[in-house]
Amino acid sequence: SVSQACCICGGSKLLSPSPSIASSDRPSASSALPTSQPSQIASQSPSACVDEPDWRFVQGTNVALGCSAFDAAPSLFCKQVGDIGFISNGKSVYEACCVCGGGQHVEAASSQRPSQAPTVIPTLSSHPSRVPTTAPTVCEDDDNWMSGGTVPVLSGLSCDALGENESYCAVLDDPQFSNFSKSVSQACCICGGSKLLSPSPSIASSDRPSVSPSNSASALPTSQ
């Protein structure tokens, strides 16, 4: 009414309308307001994604890669494998691998006990270490290196794309993936290389003299 709606008449937009005396043919919505108190009902248990255990990607090489191999660069690898329509055990990469949007979701059980193993991630401290480091240098990848070859997923990878996934090291160390005269074990820190490592020396003789003189004496005399 006007006495409920207009301020001049004693009402406002905050006043609720008078309750109806007629019965409703539909159940009313809950009028419960948010509360600052915790709920007495436990929430649904969180779920964890598990990769399809027997799913393997094999293309152009004898090495079979599981879903974990795509963790380094999922936006790149998932699309490449998905675009070629690869199927393993009746499932595509989008159906089998969590990182690509698939996998199996199972209930995650939370532990009530502390871990018996130390964390792999160091704890940051505001205090300096009392023990000096024995290796102050930091390894840097060769930014110009990319894996060679024409194998989907495995060719055209930079060191940065490998992330912390060491499983690629053994696969990409094959000569077909070498590039710029370097293998992955010479170019990428994760595989034991760096941008400071030189390419492997050639075993073939050169048809031109060396530009730089040798720093050591020759074992045999030079012919005049």
Side-chain angles (χ1 to χ4, degrees):
S1 66
V2 67
S3 61
Q4 293 172 317
C6 303
C7 293
I8 190 63
C9 299
S12 75
K13 69 177 182 179
L14 300 178
L15 287 181
S16 302
S18 302
S20 172
I21 59 174
S23 59
S24 172
D25 57 351
R26 291 178 296 175
S28 61
S30 174
S31 60
L33 297 176
T35 175
S36 60
Q37 300 300 318
S39 173
Q40 300 300 315
I41 303 175
S43 63
Q44 184 177 359
S45 299
S47 62
C49 187
V50 178
D51 293 322
E52 188 73 23
D54 297 324
W55 193 92
R56 294 291 183 272
F57 172 73
V58 181
Q59 184 79 10
T61 176
N62 292 328
V63 179
L65 302 177
C67 291
S68 61
F70 303 145
D71 292 346
S75 59
L76 171 66
F77 299 151
C78 296
K79 186 177 186 304
Q80 285 188 341
V81 177
D83 286 350
I84 63 176
F86 182 83
I87 299 294
S88 173
N89 288 340
K91 289 188 176 182
S92 69
V93 67
Y94 297 118
E95 297 171 313
C97 302
C98 294
V99 74
C100 299
Q104 305 172 8
H105 292 271
V106 298
E107 183 176 327
S110 59
S111 174
Q112 301 299 322
R113 294 178 297 174
S115 173
Q116 300 301 314
T119 176
V120 295
I121 303 177
T123 302
L124 297 179
S125 173
S126 58
H127 302 286
S129 173
R130 296 183 179 180
V131 181
T133 177
T134 57
T137 57
V138 177
C139 183
E140 294 184 32
D141 294 321
D142 188 336
D143 296 332
N144 297 320
W145 188 87
M146 296 184 73
S147 57
T150 57
V151 180
V153 176
L154 298 178
S155 297
L157 296 179
S158 64
C159 294
D160 186 59
L162 304 184
E164 299 296 324
N165 197 331
E166 297 182 6
S167 62
Y168 282 105
C169 298
V171 178
L172 295 179
D173 215 25
D174 189 286
Q176 67 174 313
F177 299 116
S178 293
N179 204 0
F180 301 113
S181 301
K182 275 189 174 184
S183 66
V184 68
S185 60
Q186 294 171 316
C188 303
C189 293
I190 188 65
C191 300
S194 76
K195 71 176 183 180
L196 300 178
L197 287 183
S198 301
S200 301
S202 172
I203 59 175
S205 59
S206 172
D207 56 352
R208 290 178 294 176
S210 172
V211 176
S212 302
S214 172
N215 292 323
S216 58
S218 173
L220 299 175
T222 304
S223 59
Q224 298 294 329

